[in-house]
Amino acid sequence: MSQFNFVSDLQNALIMDGETRGPAPRWKKKLEASLSGSINTTRSVLSVSYNTSFSGVQAPTKTPGKSSEGKTKKSTTTPTKTPGGGDRFIPNRAATNFELAHFLVNKDSGDKSDEENEKATSSNSNESNVQASAHKGERQKLISEVAQVGDSKGGRILCYQNKAPAAPETHNNPLKVVYSIKTPISTKSGSRYIPTTSERILDAPDFINDYYLNLMDWSADNIVAVALGSCVYLWNAQTGNIEQLTEFEEGDYAGSLSWIQEGQILAIGNSTGAVELWDCSKVKRLRVMDGHSARVGSLAWNSFLVSSGSRDGTIVHHDVRAREHKLSTLAGHTQEVCGLKWSTDFKYLASGGNDNLVNVWSAASGGVGTATDPLYKFNDHQAAVRALAWCPWQPSTLASGGGTADRCIKFWNVNNGTLIKSVDSKSQVCALLFSRHYKELISAHGFANNQLTIWKYPTMVKQADLTGHTSRVLQMAMSPDGSTVISAGADETLRLWNCFAPDPLASKKAVSASKAKQSVFRQSIR
């Protein structure tokens, strides 16, 4: 048969008008290339995955003939370009790690061979398989660390654009604060909104700009007493009525004001060294108590006992019930006593003076007055101490604030006489008050910002600054319900701040909790 095939081929070659056998046409070559392309799976998968990742459309396959659809409908869309501006089909050699790409390409075949080997050795024990897989994982991890390729699972075989260059060390990104700043305290869950502007402003002409005087107080009946010049005025915070209580003779003035805990009895310490008691409901002076040789700049009530501090450096306890009112005299300061406060449980009396001392006096064993010698003497302040406040939920904790040369707020434990904490407030501390609704502290300051600052206790993290005064804030007093603070500044204004308003949700929870707690007897009866 072979000879016949040879003869037929020879005859065909000799025939000149027959079909010549030369190079194949171009369309035939492209057809053969497209058919043979399905064999090379690696190239086809790469091209399709890359094309679909950017355009979402598979590349059309060409056919040798012209279809009818090609005549009637033409493609008007053009392939999109990459952000880098280059051709999306051309990888970037500089950004591609060819060693890692080769490893990833050959990884599948290696994994398949490993699977076959594992199937062949499936008769071995489970323990040996676990140990082998563990050793294999450790080996791959070590190889990745040495080669510095990171996680090969998420690695790319080809890269089409360069990575962004790293910023220099001296570069400051202005938008970094958007991603790195902590959530403000006022927006955190569990925090509260604190208004930083005053709710109301009152004029206080002729308010004496003296750091050592205490010229304002707020009573339990919601009446504010304030000394302006030689006069003492009463302002009803509920009705807004203003009434003049008294006016001193020319040259005399009020140096301190203090309301009794319950009632409308007001104690006024004047510049002559006397303490006057006034019944404000009747606008009547009840009595005058002497005992000092200089002006009285501080007063503090303890039930029927009123303590007065003077420029002569002494503290006098007055029993307002007795004819002989003077109980005892305390001589613990060498200069003017400008701060005086009884603790919330009335077991201790704190005094601050211009001699930079803070003295703590324990109550007398009989319950009237105090011991003649101070229980503790704190001399850590570097300036006069006028701002004093006792913690309402920790009666043994005392807060004290120093003047311009000190600027510190210090906390003392009067049980053992130790310093708990000291915070630099950056400005003169004129007054301190603890909140009754929150574990917070508010302080009044002088130059340079003349602000009121609310601190979180005991961390002493600043919560808010209340600004508005144009001169130093000399006095502070709290409303009977503990929600509002009134401040008096050297700019001759009184400002009311609603900074401690109770949380309505918390009050509702407290009411619901109280309703939920029923008596044991009622539960047993039901």
Side-chain angles (χ1 to χ4, degrees):
M1 291 297 294
S2 61
Q3 60 183 355
F4 293 109
N5 292 334
F6 175 74
V7 171
S8 62
D9 292 340
L10 182 63
Q11 291 178 356
N12 291 332
L14 295 175
I15 297 173
M16 300 301 296
D17 56 351
E19 182 181 359
T20 60
R21 297 202 175 184
R26 190 176 67 173
W27 66 268
K28 191 173 183 180
K29 289 182 179 181
K30 289 187 176 183
L31 177 63
E32 293 176 355
S34 62
L35 294 176
S36 63
S38 60
I39 301 173
N40 193 355
T41 57
T42 304
R43 292 178 59 85
S44 63
V45 169
L46 285 177
S47 62
V48 171
S49 63
Y50 178 74
N51 190 13
T52 55
S53 64
F54 280 88
S55 62
V57 181
Q58 292 184 356
T61 57
K62 295 183 180 180
T63 57
K66 294 182 180 180
S67 62
S68 60
E69 294 179 357
K71 295 180 181 180
T72 59
K73 185 178 180 181
K74 293 183 179 180
S75 176
T76 58
T77 59
T78 57
T80 58
K81 293 185 178 181
T82 58
D87 191 344
R88 58 176 175 161
F89 296 104
I90 301 176
N92 192 335
R93 291 180 176 270
T96 304
N97 188 346
F98 290 97
E99 290 78 4
L100 178 60
H102 182 268
F103 169 74
L104 294 176
V105 169
N106 297 327
K107 185 179 179 183
D108 295 335
S109 60
D111 293 342
K112 291 180 181 178
S113 62
D114 292 341
E115 292 176 359
E116 295 295 332
N117 294 332
E118 290 176 358
K119 290 179 181 179
T121 59
S122 60
S123 60
N124 295 335
S125 62
N126 293 331
E127 295 182 358
S128 61
N129 291 336
V130 171
Q131 292 179 358
S133 60
H135 289 305
K136 180 182 176 183
E138 293 179 357
R139 180 172 173 272
Q140 290 180 350
K141 184 178 180 181
L142 291 174
I143 293 173
S144 300
E145 292 179 354
V146 172
Q148 297 181 355
V149 297
D151 187 10
S152 60
K153 295 181 180 179
R156 292 185 178 182
I157 296 178
L158 297 178
C159 298
Y160 298 91
Q161 59 183 352
N162 290 325
K163 293 183 179 180
E169 296 180 356
T170 58
H171 174 70
N172 291 326
N173 186 2
L175 297 178
K176 184 179 179 181
V177 66
V178 178
Y179 307 100
S180 62
I181 191 170
K182 294 182 180 179
T183 306
I185 298 175
S186 59
T187 60
K188 285 184 179 180
S189 59
S191 64
R192 63 188 187 91
Y193 170 72
I194 302 176
T196 56
T197 57
S198 57
E199 190 180 45
R200 191 170 183 180
I201 303 174
L202 304 175
D203 290 328
D206 299 329
F207 188 84
I208 301 175
N209 184 6
D210 195 328
Y211 178 79
Y212 302 99
L213 303 181
N214 294 270
L215 304 176
M216 186 178 62
D217 198 14
W218 204 331
S219 74
D221 294 330
N222 208 15
I223 297 176
V224 177
V226 59
L228 302 177
S230 60
C231 300
V232 177
Y233 292 92
L234 303 177
W235 177 67
N236 193 318
Q238 185 175 2
T239 62
N241 295 332
I242 301 174
E243 184 179 9
Q244 180 177 327
L245 180 64
T246 183
E247 182 177 1
F248 291 94
E249 297 180 356
E250 186 177 356
D252 294 338
Y253 56 89
S256 57
L257 304 175
S258 182
W259 289 98
I260 196 171
Q261 277 85 6
E262 295 180 0
Q264 295 194 10
I265 304 299
L266 177 67
I268 303 175
N270 58 32
S271 57
T272 61
V275 177
E276 301 179 4
L277 297 182
W278 285 80
D279 186 354
C280 297
S281 61
K282 302 176 182 179
V283 192
K284 179 182 179 181
R285 188 172 68 178
L286 300 178
R287 66 183 301 181
V288 178
M289 298 178 292
D290 299 326
H292 294 287
S293 59
R295 69 178 184 180
V296 178
S298 56
L299 291 168
W301 280 90
N302 181 357
S303 184
F304 54 85
L305 183 73
V306 58
S307 304
S308 59
S310 173
R311 179 179 272 182
D312 58 13
T314 62
I315 300 171
V316 177
H317 295 308
H318 305 273
D319 187 350
V320 299
R321 304 170 301 174
R323 182 179 180 88
E324 299 295 332
H325 57 85
K326 189 175 181 181
L327 293 178
S328 59
T329 302
L330 310 179
H333 293 275
T334 58
Q335 296 187 37
E336 183 171 8
V337 180
C338 48
L340 208 58
K341 283 290 174 65
W342 280 95
S343 62
T344 54
D345 57 1
F346 301 105
K347 292 182 179 179
Y348 302 98
L349 175 67
S351 62
N354 194 31
D355 53 2
N356 308 345
L357 289 179
V358 177
N359 290 335
V360 177
W361 314 79
S362 61
S365 58
V368 180
T370 60
T372 56
D373 294 327
L375 179 63
Y376 297 109
K377 277 193 174 186
F378 303 130
N379 56 2
D380 291 19
H381 284 286
Q382 304 301 318
V385 181
R386 176 186 175 276
L388 296 172
W390 291 90
C391 182
W393 59 88
Q394 292 178 350
S396 60
T397 301
L398 171 67
S400 60
T404 306
D406 183 73
R407 306 184 305 274
C408 290
I409 301 174
K410 298 181 184 296
F411 298 90
W412 312 90
N413 186 346
V414 299
N415 286 333
N416 52 22
T418 58
L419 176 65
I420 301 174
K421 195 169 188 176
S422 179
V423 178
D424 187 1
S425 65
K426 309 298 182 183
S427 60
Q428 180 187 45
V429 184
C430 301
L432 292 172
L433 285 174
F434 275 98
S435 173
R436 302 174 192 170
H437 303 295
Y438 307 95
K439 289 190 175 181
E440 294 175 351
L441 176 78
I442 185 170
S443 56
H445 298 275
F447 183 81
N449 296 323
N450 308 313
Q451 85 282 6
L452 283 78
T453 302
I454 297 177
W455 310 82
K456 194 74 175 178
Y457 182 83
T459 58
M460 291 304 289
V461 176
K462 186 181 291 187
Q463 299 290 89
D465 282 332
L466 315 182
T467 57
H469 284 284
T470 58
S471 187
R472 62 178 178 174
V473 185
L474 292 167
Q475 315 285 331
M476 275 198 311
M478 187 173 287
S479 61
D481 60 357
S483 63
T484 306
V485 172
I486 186 171
S487 61
D491 55 0
E492 298 185 348
T493 61
L494 305 180
R495 295 175 183 262
L496 283 86
W497 314 84
N498 189 22
C499 54
F500 293 129
D503 187 3
L505 297 178
S507 60
K508 288 181 181 179
K509 290 180 181 179
V511 172
S512 60
S514 62
K515 290 181 179 179
K517 293 181 180 179
Q518 297 179 354
S519 174
V520 179
F521 297 102
R522 290 186 179 180
Q523 292 178 0
S524 60
I525 291 172
R526 291 181 181 178

